[in-house]
Amino acid sequence: MKTCSSMATLWSKISAVLPPGEEQFPLQFSDTVESSLVDVLKRSRRQLYGDAASSSSRAIDAQIILDFSWEKLNTGTWRHVDKEWRRLYAYGCLFKVAALCREGPSADNVPQAVRTCDMGLLMGAAIMDNILQVIVGILQGEVRKSSKEEDDKTEQVEVKRLKIECPRAPVIRGELAVPRVKCPSLESFNTNHLLPLKPVILEGIIDHWPALNGHRWSIEYLRSVAGCRTVPVEVGSRYTDEEWSQTLLTVDEFIDRYILNEDGVTGLGYLAQHQLFDQIPELKEDIRLPDYCCLGEEDEDDITVNAWFGPGGTVSPLHHDPQQNFLAQVVGSKYIRLYSPEDTDKLYPHQSQLLHNTSQVEAENPDTERFPDFAAAPYLECVLRPGDVLFIPVRHWHYVRSLELSFSVSFWWS
Amino acid sequence: MRWFGFGFNAFGQIHVRGRATSAASGDVAAEVKVIGPTEVTGHEGSRRLKTCRIKASWSRRASLHLNGDSCVCLAGFGAATSDESCGVSVVVSRGCTDASIGELHLTLVFPDRIESWDLQKKEETPSWSMELEPQSESSGPPLKLPLVPGGYIATKPPFYRSLSPHLKAKSLALGAEHAILLCATGAVYTWGLGSHGQLGHGGLTSEEEPRAVEALCGMTMSSVATGGWHSVCISDGGDLYVWGWNESGQLGLPSRGLRKALQQQSSQQAAGAACQVADSSPGEEVFISIQAFPALLDVAPSCEIRTVSCGSRHTAAVTTTGDLYTWGWGEYGQLGHQTLISSDEPKCVEFFREQQLHVVDVTCGMWNTFAAVIAEEAASS
């Protein structure tokens, strides 16, 4: 139960990271932002530092900013949305979080504030030295303090449930197996695999990751580090399905619903292709950039790191990506099949612009009538296990199915 | 004819706000979100101006007084906040025959020219203007904005865009990222971005040029309207067709996003109890988030729709019997049902029935709704 005094401490912690006064609080926008909206922003800023405003007035103005910018974010294609609207959305989140944390001892305010920070981090653009990231860190501290008692009871139940899921892994035939090599030198990786664009599994190169050692990733650990954080989840068997959709859930909700199947939900949920490590810096500390990325031409900062966390049975349909990929397996195992770009003519890519990098064929259950050439396409396959890193060369077709609870980290580099 | 407004009022565009520094929380909420129809005043006083039409943008309302000495009055952001005047009377609008308002511009149509005035900079001259050929007698009824002879006025530059004469444009509505055109033949064309199904051609692809909505071929449509991401049209028989995005129930079809949001709201209110609100799938209900083909919407049993207007995410329709139905996003009170709840089912705005007022017209701003009424006795006479 949140007491008045603990909310007061929370507010003082948050005030401490905000600019000291109105004059130091920046509100600079391009002409894209209409002056009527700037009017609301200025009022929100005034109310942030003044005492006269009521909590509902602060909340209302913050919501106006959020609703207006949300509509802008949904206008046109995401790529073309003016960055100003994303900044504005982040300001709306900031004012809303401030309003939530300032008054009222309601225990629901802190989780709502965390969610609001996450929405700002996911959809907004960084403002004021990424202040939302700073604030969510403060808020997570509060959440952890108040939820310590809950953890112990549920642990045993979870371990029991997970033991049931251990299906037989597919047997990999020798001649089709992706080759494996242990800790190759930079030079030999470059010569034997990167330059000729040949897939390979690198063993032993992530053994030092805290995610596999001191901070071994598990459901309990992920809950403790990120349970209250909101993440995008893909719902449905595969992204080419009509029923497929994306939703936002907290990590706790995702685990309860799609990993532990607590409320009897039957569909698949996959925390896929999400830059989780930008959102939750603590998890970033548990992984390292593979050294071999330095063989690329890009800056380290331009490397896209994605998390892929889900139950057994998640499928990424056969597709290819425009960059080199290191797919590191941390928890659980995945069956992966690879086809060379040379055989694209046998893989029946979709015609549409949206899905032109995706094959129409279900790799493990091909419709031989509609796609007769597919059976003749040569491939390599593997079962990727914790500690393995698969090198998927640029534009190489790949199909992935998780065999059990799985957490992978992908590095897209050039 | 009297006008009533409800919904978003943060800038006093429906009715002037009181001294907003009042700390009482109830006041601010009630002022910003007007949940029940409130009369739009301002044309009492010495000059009896008859408001023929209202247009609304996000932060303003433009009242068009088009009898005799016509002019446009503005209320909302930047307008004077006096109870008696009808807002800033735009001197430059004297003699205009039509007007439309966006967040940045006020567009005025005069017999011989069209002007766009920048509302952010108070300048002496319009930021854009165009001359008009004098309309001959036989050219039919005057075009309504955004249509102008030969084309239409867009919301951002280039303002004037031409339309092929073979389309025989009769009426045009512009959404956030698409356009819908009604032709003299009764056919409907759409173009623009289609990622929310708002073009009605059955897919999510965009169209650069006007393309006929084939699903409506063979039917004669009599009016069209757009919301931010949805399209609506009325057939000459009074049927309503909807298509586009339904994330807030603006199509009047079951909306999953809406049900989820309502569940979340009610579970937040019951925060004390440890109830888990599971993701319920009530029976076999089919939810529609995007409707890519026109769908016939049954607004109310055996009623004909007279006119319709849309806000960014809500829809308001007037029946021939004088009722107003609203549905869609309602979090600013723009549905007029005395709540802040969104709805994916058309509901009658009971206020007008209770007051024995006969609704004859409706126009929506982005987050609010304005209805024109006459007394019921006048309606039946």
Side-chain angles (χ1 to χ4, degrees):
Chain A
M1 267 282 278
K2 280 260 165 283
T3 61
C4 282
S5 76
S6 65
M7 284 305 278
T9 328
L10 174 60
W11 176 241
S12 63
K13 283 184 194 155
I14 289 181
S15 291
V17 302
L18 290 170
E22 239 184 277
E23 303 80 48
Q24 293 87 15
F25 191 108
L27 278 181
Q28 297 297 333
F29 298 99
S30 74
D31 288 338
T32 316
V33 180
E34 293 91 339
S35 36
S36 46
L37 194 63
V38 176
D39 200 55
V40 182
L41 285 155
K42 288 184 174 162
R43 191 162 64 234
S44 285
R45 176 175 60 182
R46 262 197 315 275
Q47 291 175 90
L48 185 61
Y49 292 98
D51 287 320
S54 68
S55 70
S56 91
S57 167
R58 291 191 185 104
I60 286 173
D61 283 328
Q63 197 59 45
I64 291 174
I65 298 166
L66 285 171
D67 289 333
F68 190 92
S69 52
W70 185 90
E71 292 195 347
K72 294 291 187 186
L73 293 184
N74 280 279
T75 302
T77 48
W78 178 252
R79 267 210 321 271
H80 295 120
V81 170
D82 195 317
K83 193 176 174 190
E84 291 297 85
W85 298 122
R86 299 184 56 202
R87 288 181 65 230
L88 213 77
Y89 187 82
Y91 273 102
C93 291
L94 178 62
F95 289 125
K96 181 170 178 176
V97 169
L100 283 167
C101 293
R102 187 156 181 165
E103 260 135 322
S106 151
D108 194 49
N109 280 356
V110 173
Q112 253 206 82
V114 172
R115 184 171 202 277
T116 305
C117 285
D118 277 327
M119 292 307 294
L121 291 169
L122 292 173
M123 306 228 302
I127 53 168
M128 297 164 66
D129 292 325
N130 212 1
I131 194 168
L132 290 176
Q133 189 69 257
V134 173
I135 292 180
V136 79
I138 295 172
L139 290 167
Q140 274 197 274
E142 292 296 312
V143 172
R144 284 193 193 119
K145 263 195 274 173
S146 60
S147 69
K148 264 197 170 266
E149 313 88 58
E150 307 283 321
D151 292 348
D152 306 323
K153 284 178 283 182
T154 53
E155 232 175 274
Q156 296 164 18
V157 181
E158 289 175 17
V159 171
K160 218 171 140 190
R161 277 208 185 98
L162 290 174
K163 275 197 154 74
I164 300 170
E165 286 194 71
C166 248
R168 259 174 300 142
V171 176
I172 305 297
R173 284 172 286 173
E175 63 274 17
L176 297 179
V178 177
R180 289 172 171 269
V181 63
K182 191 164 168 84
C183 297
S185 67
L186 283 178
E187 209 190 307
S188 73
F189 172 75
N190 196 30
T191 310
N192 301 327
H193 304 286
L194 179 56
L195 288 175
L197 295 178
K198 293 244 172 288
V200 63
I201 293 176
L202 304 168
E203 295 175 333
I205 68 165
I206 61 170
D207 288 350
H208 59 291
W209 277 16
L212 289 165
N213 295 290
H215 279 170
R216 182 171 282 267
W217 284 359
S218 65
I219 295 222
E220 301 75 46
Y221 176 75
L222 292 169
R223 276 199 201 272
S224 72
V225 164
C228 63
R229 304 297 301 275
T230 295
V231 291
V233 172
E234 299 183 355
V235 177
S237 349
R238 59 202 74 211
Y239 68 77
T240 40
D241 267 5
E242 262 184 27
E243 286 301 306
W244 185 87
S245 69
Q246 290 175 298
T247 188
L248 293 163
L249 298 173
T250 63
V251 170
D252 277 335
E253 285 167 345
F254 171 67
I255 290 173
D256 288 337
R257 196 176 302 183
Y258 293 104
I259 309 265
L260 304 176
N261 294 122
E262 255 170 30
D263 48 3
V265 166
T266 46
L268 277 173
Y270 195 8
L271 204 183
Q273 198 173 321
H274 176 54
Q275 296 180 315
L276 188 68
F277 308 99
D278 287 340
Q279 192 189 355
I280 303 175
E282 256 172 303
L283 286 177
K284 197 174 194 168
E285 312 267 286
D286 292 342
I287 63 175
R288 299 282 179 270
L289 202 63
D291 293 333
Y292 306 89
C293 291
C294 75
L295 294 168
E297 284 140 16
E298 263 183 2
D299 227 22
E300 224 180 77
D301 298 327
D302 293 330
I303 296 177
T304 306
V305 184
N306 277 313
W308 306 78
F309 173 43
T314 62
V315 168
S316 293
L318 189 61
H319 72 285
H320 65 83
D321 299 309
Q323 289 188 283
Q324 315 282 8
N325 184 0
F326 281 129
L327 182 63
Q329 192 64 17
V330 183
V331 176
S333 58
K334 281 180 157 151
Y335 170 71
I336 301 177
R337 204 187 281 188
L338 301 167
Y339 291 82
S340 163
E342 296 168 353
D343 300 310
T344 299
D345 54 316
K346 302 186 188 63
L347 303 179
Y348 304 89
H350 283 269
Q351 304 287 13
S352 72
Q353 230 264 346
L354 202 63
L355 293 173
H356 74 280
N357 71 332
T358 305
S359 161
Q360 298 178 66
V361 189
E362 277 183 43
E364 287 189 284
N365 186 25
D367 184 333
T368 49
E369 276 182 37
R370 287 178 65 200
F371 312 115
D373 295 339
F374 185 74
Y379 62 87
L380 294 175
E381 58 179 8
C382 65
V383 170
L384 208 64
R385 295 201 164 81
D388 290 342
V389 177
L390 174 64
F391 167 58
I392 304 176
V394 59
R395 274 182 295 280
H396 228 82
W397 294 87
H398 49 288
Y399 163 89
V400 183
R401 173 169 61 90
S402 64
L403 299 170
E404 52 184 327
L405 170 70
S406 160
F407 201 136
S408 323
V409 181
S410 66
F411 299 85
W412 290 346
W413 56 288
S414 296
Chain B
M1 200 161 67
R2 298 154 69 191
W3 285 86
F4 286 76
F6 41 96
F8 185 60
N9 187 50
F11 298 95
Q13 62 263 61
I14 295 175
H15 69 86
V16 170
R17 291 177 65 172
R19 238 93 39 75
T21 51
S22 153
S25 56
D27 293 353
V28 175
E31 283 192 347
V32 172
K33 307 179 190 186
V34 175
I35 58 177
T38 303
E39 184 147 16
V40 172
T41 52
H43 42 270
E44 317 316 346
S46 55
R47 306 188 56 214
R48 294 288 223 96
L49 299 171
K50 186 170 170 225
T51 304
C52 291
R53 237 175 270 162
I54 281 185
K55 300 283 176 87
S57 65
W58 181 64
S59 67
R60 295 183 182 86
R61 175 209 0 129
S63 296
L64 281 61
H65 309 298
L66 297 175
N67 283 24
D69 210 11
S70 62
C71 71
V72 168
C73 294
L74 292 183
F77 181 59
T81 51
S82 152
D83 273 331
E84 283 118 33
S85 81
C86 75
V88 172
S89 177
V90 182
V91 173
V92 297
S93 64
R94 294 241 170 271
C96 71
T97 56
D98 195 8
S100 72
I101 189 161
E103 201 50 30
L104 299 173
H105 294 95
L106 172 68
T107 302
L108 300 168
V109 178
F110 298 90
D112 60 337
R113 69 197 189 281
I114 301 171
E115 294 173 349
S116 255
W117 292 79
D118 189 320
L119 290 165
Q120 303 202 131
K121 313 171 192 164
K122 312 259 162 125
E123 283 168 348
E124 304 275 302
T125 51
S127 58
W128 176 88
S129 69
M130 153 180 152
E131 277 183 22
L132 286 179
E133 302 281 313
Q135 292 269 287
S136 63
E137 289 298 314
S138 57
S139 61
L143 292 172
K144 288 223 203 108
L145 286 173
L147 281 179
V148 295
Y152 66 99
I153 308 293
T155 47
K156 44 184 194 276
F159 287 117
Y160 176 76
R161 316 236 175 139
S162 64
L163 280 173
S164 164
H166 92 265
L167 288 171
K168 298 202 179 67
K170 184 172 161 193
S171 137
L172 177 71
L174 300 173
E177 48 187 26
H178 77 296
I180 177 170
L181 177 73
L182 174 68
C183 306
T185 57
V188 171
Y189 285 74
T190 58
W191 66 96
L193 294 185
S195 51
H196 295 95
Q198 64 264 61
L199 300 185
H201 304 303
L204 305 177
T205 49
S206 311
E207 298 287 336
E208 285 197 16
E209 296 297 320
R211 178 177 162 189
V213 180
E214 281 169 24
L216 300 175
C217 271
M219 290 186 277
T220 309
M221 296 296 138
S222 64
S223 76
V224 292
T226 52
W229 301 269
H230 68 296
S231 306
V232 178
C233 66
I234 307 176
S235 71
D236 60 357
D239 287 328
L240 195 72
Y241 290 85
V242 296
W243 63 95
W245 209 12
N246 192 43
E247 49 74 50
S248 284
Q250 59 265 58
L251 299 186
L253 304 172
S255 168
R256 191 196 299 272
L258 190 58
R259 302 292 167 90
K260 259 200 204 157
L262 291 176
Q263 271 184 354
Q264 268 176 11
Q265 273 172 26
S266 64
S267 73
Q268 264 164 27
Q269 278 155 22
C275 55
Q276 286 281 346
V277 184
D279 197 33
S280 64
S281 327
E284 296 293 316
E285 188 153 23
V286 176
F287 291 106
I288 294 174
S289 59
I290 285 180
Q291 175 67 30
F293 282 111
L296 173 62
L297 179 66
D298 196 19
V299 174
S302 49
C303 79
E304 281 177 35
I305 304 299
R306 173 179 174 158
T307 185
V308 68
S309 181
C310 308
S312 64
R313 297 188 265 159
H314 75 289
T315 310
V318 180
T319 64
T320 49
T321 50
D323 283 324
L324 178 68
Y325 284 80
T326 58
W327 60 95
W329 197 43
E331 290 178 15
Y332 285 91
Q334 62 265 58
L335 299 186
H337 304 306
Q338 307 285 351
T339 66
L340 297 173
I341 301 175
S342 303
S343 169
D344 57 7
E345 288 171 333
K347 285 192 174 72
C348 182
V349 181
E350 295 294 339
F351 172 87
F352 297 111
R353 276 200 189 153
E354 286 158 9
Q355 302 288 319
Q356 291 169 324
L357 295 169
H358 188 98
V359 182
V360 295
D361 197 6
V362 70
T363 186
C364 297
M366 268 175 62
W367 301 350
N368 48 30
T369 309
F370 295 90
V373 304
I374 56 181
E376 261 185 13
E377 317 84 62
S380 42
S381 63

